[in-house]
């Protein structure tokens, strides 16, 4: 999905500052623009910028979302530990509760995340 809509307001991060880029290698985000921004169409709420770990990649695959395997049809190279990726807020919280949550980049995590995860918990898991 691409962001061709100029009607989106500027996004803020969980610290109340302008949202920073999460990652572009590989390109991440609901809009595939490197930012963890969402809109009403993003039912998964891809708003948490994470530094993925091997443990999280294994956990995600076990939950049915294999992020490691390349999918050339979608120009997706597969994630490696250390990559920055926009993770769904509910999935990150689930991973946290199971002891598998990857570190969070607060400056690149959209403020809408706070509807699902507390700032205190995000700060405690900051990269």
């Amino acid at each position: 999905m691409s962001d061709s809509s100029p009607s989106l307001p500027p996004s803020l991060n969980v610290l109340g500052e302008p949202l920073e880029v999460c990652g572009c290698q590989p390109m991440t985000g609901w809009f595939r623009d490197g930012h963890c921004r969402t809109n009403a169409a993003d039912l998964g709420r891809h708003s948490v910028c994470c530094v993925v770990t091997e443990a999280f990649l294994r956990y995600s695959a076990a939950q049915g979302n294999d992020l490691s395997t390349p999918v050339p049809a979608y120009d997706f190279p597969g994630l490696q530990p250390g990559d920055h990726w926009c993770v769904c807020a509910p999935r990150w919280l689930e991973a946290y509760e199971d002891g598998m949550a990857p570190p969070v980049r607060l400056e690149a995590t959209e403020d809408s995340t706070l509807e699902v995860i507390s700032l205190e918990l995000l700060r405690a898991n900051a990269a």
Side-chain angles (χ1 to χ4, degrees):
M1 177 170 235
S2 66
D3 179 18
S4 59
S5 171
S7 63
L8 285 174
S11 296
L12 296 176
N13 64 31
V14 295
L15 304 173
E17 300 165 348
L19 186 67
E20 293 184 12
V21 170
C22 178
C24 297
Q25 296 294 326
M27 189 62 75
T28 191
W30 173 247
F31 296 103
R32 289 299 188 258
D33 65 356
H35 290 88
C36 298
R37 299 181 302 124
T38 65
N39 65 12
D42 179 11
L43 301 180
R45 194 181 296 229
H46 295 76
S47 61
V48 183
C49 180
C50 295
V51 180
V52 297
T53 61
E54 181 64 37
F56 177 74
L57 291 172
R58 283 193 313 268
Y59 175 82
S60 186
Q63 304 307 310
N65 187 17
D66 181 359
L67 298 171
S68 299
T69 302
V71 184
Y74 291 102
D75 197 28
F76 179 67
L79 298 180
Q80 302 293 322
D83 286 344
H84 294 187
W85 194 249
C86 297
V87 173
C88 297
R91 174 53 52 94
W92 185 91
L93 185 58
E94 178 184 41
Y96 170 79
E97 291 168 350
D98 289 339
M100 296 292 179
V104 176
R105 292 191 52 234
L106 299 175
E107 64 279 358
T109 296
E110 188 180 51
D111 63 351
S112 68
T113 301
L114 298 174
E115 296 171 17
V116 178
I117 307 165
S118 73
L119 182 55
E120 178 181 72
L121 186 55
L122 291 169
R123 281 187 194 271
N125 290 275

